[in-house]
Amino acid sequence: MTPAALPPGLGIVAVGVVLGLALVALRRLRAARRLTPETTRQALHATMSAVALSLPWLFDTDWPVVVLAVAGVAAMGAVRAVPALRETVGDVIHVPDRPSVGDVAFPVAVCGLYLLASESPVLYTVPLLLLGIAGPTAALVGASHGRKAFATDEGPKSREASVAFAFVAFLCVHVPLLMFTPVGRAEALWIAAIVAVLATIVEAVSWRGLDNVFVPLGTYAVLLRLLTFPATLLAGHAVVLGLLVGLAAALRRETTVGGAGVFGAVLVGYLVWALGGTAWLLPPVLVYALYARVWPAAREADGLPHDPRRRPHTAQNVFSVSSVGVTWLLVASAFDLDLLFPYALAWAATFAFLGVDRMRTARPGWTVAQLAWRAAWRATLVGVGPVLLVVWLRVGAERVAGAVSGGASAPAAPVLFTAASVGVALVVTAAAAAILARWKRPIDLESTEFEGRVYRAGIVGPLSALGLLALLVP
């Protein structure tokens, strides 16, 4: 940290005064120039980001920033709760008829970023540049020139706005890396391209203003990792990300995922590949590519090949379907454990759920047993089949080249492991399908959409944990 420019107390007062004056000035400017609520909100967003950029030079300790964050959250809460404030400065902060927690999320995100990265000017500055320049630019471009819209959980967003965000985000990353770090030109180019695409996806799939948290903290996490990679590895990341975008776009007409849900699928796929590798990427890719193809008559019931009006699933649906599998991946990555089989079982059980949801519409007369059997073997093949293929490839590689250091080793008894894995997978997927087939109607009728997702995850999680039994097989 640099030496503080002001005493902590005076710095806190200075930040509060600047932000208060900005609110008053923007409110008067809006009345005088008849600015739209979105324009004034984005102007405030840029102003708050500019003030946040000064914090590492104003303070050389953490507690003043924590105090400012708490005061900011309290102030935003007061604007929401006090009618006099809501009717005056509230119209600068909030856009009518658009529920958002972005005003509260902003000080929380800035505080978190400061605590993580205040000693690294680039890691602190770049995420805030995306938040304060790329975000407002995209919003204003979308409002003025948006023509081609895609659906999100908050309503339509324009492709033009996303392109503008990606372009500005690329510059916000590329220029600081070239000017203020020893990163090479090729590395800076690849890093800027990857971060720009990922940040654009995060901004597109975020809801209720949570992009104010996800974009800066996500950018920080990605930068922290990518800055350690050589150019060749960065190029590989860029190629995989491009392939995932292309695959998701190509399969769009063959799935029930629409709008920002496609971006969500890309984000999940890249996260899985970056943390786990190709073996971990296979189950979600096959689930995404095949769930609309392998269930007899379900395509007709779903209106496939798709009428655009029959794409009801959004990014939140994608994240909820992926939640248990991604949790296994994060645990495996954090504790350096080989949890590939429980992870694959989570995707297999999820695939069984998707089949039950679809076949209950296509074949309403089928019994629970009929659904469970058909779901079990299909889900086992799609979710667990790729993992067993990887296991046998390891077996073959070790028999040809001998044991290699690093990575998961092949089982000593691959035939026994395969038989046990298939048996466990059939039991898990059949049980998942039977439970959902039996309780689907009460879940759908007696719970909210969010509660329904939690119930489904509560079934998939414990069942997929049975995959830990595979670790007992030598």
Side-chain angles (χ1 to χ4, degrees):
M1 292 184 183
T2 59
L6 296 172
L10 186 58
I12 292 172
V13 172
V15 170
V17 169
V18 170
L19 292 178
L21 291 175
L23 276 173
V24 173
L26 286 173
R27 184 170 183 272
R28 291 185 176 180
L29 186 62
R30 177 185 174 187
R33 299 294 181 89
R34 296 184 179 180
L35 301 178
T36 65
E38 182 65 21
T39 300
T40 53
R41 190 176 76 90
Q42 294 303 330
L44 178 63
H45 207 157
T47 303
M48 293 171 66
S49 298
V51 172
L53 283 171
S54 69
L55 296 183
W57 290 268
L58 280 178
F59 307 111
D60 56 7
T61 185
D62 294 340
W63 71 264
V65 179
V66 175
V67 170
L68 282 171
V70 172
V73 171
M76 294 303 104
V79 171
R80 291 170 178 268
V82 179
L85 293 176
R86 187 168 59 245
E87 294 168 4
T88 53
V89 297
D91 59 358
V92 177
I93 299 172
H94 301 123
V95 175
D97 303 322
R98 186 187 297 178
S100 174
V101 295
D103 54 331
V104 176
F106 189 96
V108 173
V110 170
C111 181
L113 188 61
Y114 183 91
L115 296 177
L116 291 169
S118 60
E119 295 186 5
S120 173
V122 170
L123 289 178
Y124 180 78
T125 300
V126 168
L128 285 177
L129 290 177
L130 266 65
L131 196 60
I133 300 178
T137 300
L140 297 179
V141 168
S144 303
H145 305 288
R147 298 293 182 271
K148 297 180 179 179
F150 60 91
T152 73
D153 292 292
E154 289 193 318
K157 292 184 178 181
S158 72
R159 297 179 186 178
E160 292 84 356
S162 292
V163 171
F165 186 98
F167 177 73
V168 176
F170 175 85
L171 295 178
C172 288
V173 179
H174 189 55
V175 173
L177 289 183
L178 282 180
M179 294 184 64
F180 303 111
T181 71
V183 173
R185 291 180 179 272
E187 287 84 354
L189 183 67
W190 288 121
I191 292 172
I194 294 169
V195 171
V197 173
L198 291 176
T200 301
I201 291 174
V202 170
E203 194 276 336
V205 303
S206 298
W207 62 96
R208 291 185 177 271
L210 289 175
D211 54 318
N212 286 352
V213 173
F214 296 153
V215 168
L217 296 184
T219 299
Y220 165 79
V222 172
L223 280 174
L224 192 64
R225 184 173 177 83
L226 295 184
L227 284 171
T228 64
F229 291 172
T232 51
L233 185 54
L234 290 169
H237 276 252
V239 168
V240 170
L241 184 56
L243 289 174
L244 289 172
V245 171
L247 177 64
L251 293 176
R252 182 170 174 267
R253 288 187 60 81
E254 296 296 323
T255 72
T256 56
V257 177
V262 176
F263 290 124
V266 173
L267 189 63
V268 170
Y270 178 77
L271 173 67
V272 166
W273 178 81
L275 293 181
T278 304
W280 295 71
L281 180 59
L282 291 174
V285 166
L286 290 179
V287 168
Y288 180 78
L290 298 177
Y291 81 92
R293 289 178 170 270
V294 302
W295 304 99
R299 286 168 58 80
E300 292 78 1
D302 241 356
L304 289 168
H306 260 303
D307 178 337
R309 295 169 297 180
R310 300 291 302 242
R311 293 196 186 106
H313 296 132
T314 65
Q316 290 191 30
N317 295 107
V318 171
F319 296 148
S320 111
V321 163
S322 311
S323 60
V324 178
V326 170
T327 299
W328 281 114
L329 170 64
L330 294 176
V331 172
S333 179
F335 297 99
D336 194 24
L337 300 173
D338 183 12
L339 300 178
L340 183 56
F341 187 58
Y343 166 85
L345 278 182
W347 284 104
T350 298
F351 191 83
F353 274 11
L354 294 173
V356 170
D357 279 331
R358 295 162 67 79
M359 295 310 294
R360 272 302 193 196
T361 301
R363 293 288 187 269
W366 278 8
T367 65
V368 170
Q370 287 175 307
L371 281 171
W373 161 241
R374 286 166 173 81
W377 71 264
R378 288 178 171 86
T380 297
L381 184 64
V382 171
V384 178
V387 172
L388 295 179
L389 175 62
V390 170
V391 168
W392 280 98
L393 289 175
R394 289 174 183 164
V395 171
E398 290 192 4
R399 288 180 178 177
V400 171
V404 295
S405 59
S409 60
V415 174
L416 178 60
F417 178 84
T418 300
S421 299
V422 171
V424 171
L426 288 171
V427 170
V428 167
T429 52
I435 292 171
L436 184 62
R438 172 65 180 83
W439 297 102
K440 175 175 169 53
R441 184 175 177 80
I443 289 175
D444 291 345
L445 293 179
E446 299 175 10
S447 62
T448 65
E449 185 176 5
F450 175 77
E451 290 170 341
R453 294 171 184 167
V454 173
Y455 290 152
R456 285 168 166 78
I459 297 170
V460 172
L463 286 175
S464 64
L466 294 176
L468 296 172
L469 296 173
L471 301 178
L472 302 177
V473 179

